[in-house]
Structure formats: C-alpha cells, structure tokens
C-alpha cells in the first residue's frame, strides 16, 4: 500500500540544518500494522506526518499504490485525504473545544461536500464504543479515553484505508491504553485498515504490530516481523532490554544494556553510523561509513556493519 523511498525532512534553523528524517526507505503492506519505535526526538512523528503530506518533504518519494504523493495536485490531495487519516497524540489538543461531538464527527463530511445522516453519525460513535446519547456534549465533558475515541471516530468518518496512529495512547492511563489498542485491533479486522502505529510503549507495539521498525536520529536501523524475539542491531537490543518486567525474579535474570551518553543532536549528527557514538560494539569503520539497510534474513532488515 505504501512505498517510501529515500525520504528526507530537513529544517533550517538559526543553529544550522536539523535532519529530522534523513534518507528513510520502507514499505507498508495492505492490512498490516507497522509499529514505529525509538527515543523522543528521533523523527517518528515527523515521518508519520510526511506520509500524509501534512508536512512537505525535503526530498524523496512516497508512493500510495502507483501514485507519488508529492506529485498530487491540491484537488487530488483532497481526494487522497478520504483514504488516509491520522489519530493524533493528544486528545485534549486535537479536538476543537467549541464544537460538539456530533459537529466534530460531521466535519469531514462537510469538508468533502458529502451528505450524512444522523443515523450514520450514530453508527460511527457506536463503532468506537461511545454512546450516541452524548453527541451534543463538548470535548471537555469527556475523559481522555473518551476523547481519543472521538478522534478515532473522526478519522474513520470517510472510510479510510490507511491511518497513521501518532502515539495515540501516550496521554492515557494504563487501563485505558489497553482498551484503545484493543479497539484499534478490532476496527482493523472489521474494516481491513492499514496502520502506521507510532509509540514509546514497546509492550503495546508488540501486541498490535505485524512488523516493527526502529528509528534512531532520523534513520531506520532495523525492520522485522519477529523483532522482539531476535533483535540484531545493538540499539534495538538496548531498547528492548529497557522494557519493564513486572516479575522481580525475571527482572533480576535479564541483562540490562545501559547506553552511554545522550542521543546526539540532529543538528550535528555523527559521521558514518548515526549510533556509533553510543554503540557498545562500535568498530573503526562505523565512524567513517554509514551502513545501509540490508536484508539479513527473510523480511529482517538491519543497518549495521556487524551483519555485512
């Protein structure tokens, strides 16, 4: 469904050029969920916005089927919006506080000049497990989980096929997080949706994702379906070792990989491999040559000189 080729997004600042996304290539198959993980500031949300052209790319290509997203005219882009939507991170900020639930869910239809009945609004709210009796209420009258359900209903309004979920559970409490993720899985099965699921919560990503992509400093360092069972990149190994374990005895048996230093600034990224300044397995070559993403085993791609 989605093919991304050498995608870059660079921001010009007073301090220099900030390379938020720097040469990313991958695919998303129809009906799957690609989980996208990585530290704060690594470029995950920027990448998600580029896939919907909410931000313009510096260079690269994004193909939706056979069409290059960046070649679409404004009229074609508006038509594309029917097929691709976004669920935003903060349900407190992504809903207009002056609009009722019914107005929020109806708005996509009005933008595209589509007639919609009150019955259809009812069904949309029921689809996300929100009682339609509350449709005349305003966002501040709902809990965080309920607000996120409103955001999901708005995203589903025009029957999209692809949805970018930009950390949709990070602002919610733990019990509500699991409810929202379960809802997204059920909707995917019922409506044949395709997701890019961006999250910090690796446990939830393991539960919902078909494949997982790991991002570091604007680069993809690893993509695999069985990432949690067989992480290859040193950064991925360190990231997965940080997942909290509820059983204290199991936690004692696990080897925690502690990385030295902070993630470098995207304004001044290291030469060669982006991870070379923190990697426990760094080699002389790493500081000179940037590794490319290569298929090590079937479907398992990693950008690391250890596997060349």
């Amino acid at each position: 469904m989605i093919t991304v080729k050498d995608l870059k997004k660079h921001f010009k600042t007073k301090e220099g050029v900030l390379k938020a996304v720097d040469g990313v290539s991958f695919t998303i198959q129809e009906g799957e969920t690609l989980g996208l993980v990585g530290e704060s500031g690594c470029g995950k949300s920027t990448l998600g916005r580029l896939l919907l052209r909410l931000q313009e790319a510096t260079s690269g290509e994004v193909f939706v089927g056979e069409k290059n997203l960046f070649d679409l005219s404004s009229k074609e882009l508006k038509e594309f919006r029917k097929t691709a939507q976004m669920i935003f991170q903060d349900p407190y900020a992504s809903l207009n506080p002056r609009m009722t639930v019914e107005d929020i869910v109806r708005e996509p239809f009005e933008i595209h000049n589509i007639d919609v009945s009150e019955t259809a609004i009812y069904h949309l709210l029921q689809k996300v497990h929100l009682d339609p009796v509350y449709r005349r209420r305003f966002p501040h009258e709902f809990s965080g989980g309920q607000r996120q359900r409103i955001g999901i209903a708005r995203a589903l309004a025009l029957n999209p096929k692809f949805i970018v979920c930009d950390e949709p559970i990070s602002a919610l409490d733990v019990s509500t997080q699991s409810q929202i993720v379960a809802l997204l899985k059920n909707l995917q099965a019922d409506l044949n949706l395709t997701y890019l699921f961006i999250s910090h919560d690796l446990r939830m990503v393991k539960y919902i994702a078909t494949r997982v992509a790991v991002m570091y400093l604007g680069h993809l360092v690893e993509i695999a379906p069985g990432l949690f069972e067989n992480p290859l990149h040193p950064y991925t190994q360190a990231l997965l070792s940080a997942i909290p374990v509820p059983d204290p005895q199991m936690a004692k048996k696990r080897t925690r990989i502690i990385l030295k230093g902070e993630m470098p600034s995207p304004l001044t990224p290291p030469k060669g491999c982006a991870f070379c300044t923190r990697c426990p397995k760094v080699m002389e070559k790493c500081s000179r040559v940037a590794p490319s993403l290569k298929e090590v085993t079937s479907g398992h791609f990693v950008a690391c000189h250890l596997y060349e």
Side-chain angles (χ1 to χ4, degrees), residues 1 15-16 27 44 55 90 116 130 191 225 257 285-286 305-306:
M1 175 173 278
E15 293 78 20
T27 61
K44 302 187 301 297
Q55 289 180 326
D90 187 359
V116 60
L130 203 64
L191 305 174
I257 302 171
K285 183 181 181 181
C286 300
H305 292 308
L306 292 171

Side-chain angles (χ1 to χ4, degrees), residues 45 48-49 52 54 84-88 151 154-155 163-166:
S45 293
R49 289 172 177 271
L52 298 182
L54 296 179
Q85 285 290 320
M86 191 167 196
I87 300 168
F88 294 92
R154 177 178 60 186
I163 298 179
V164 173
C165 307
D166 184 14

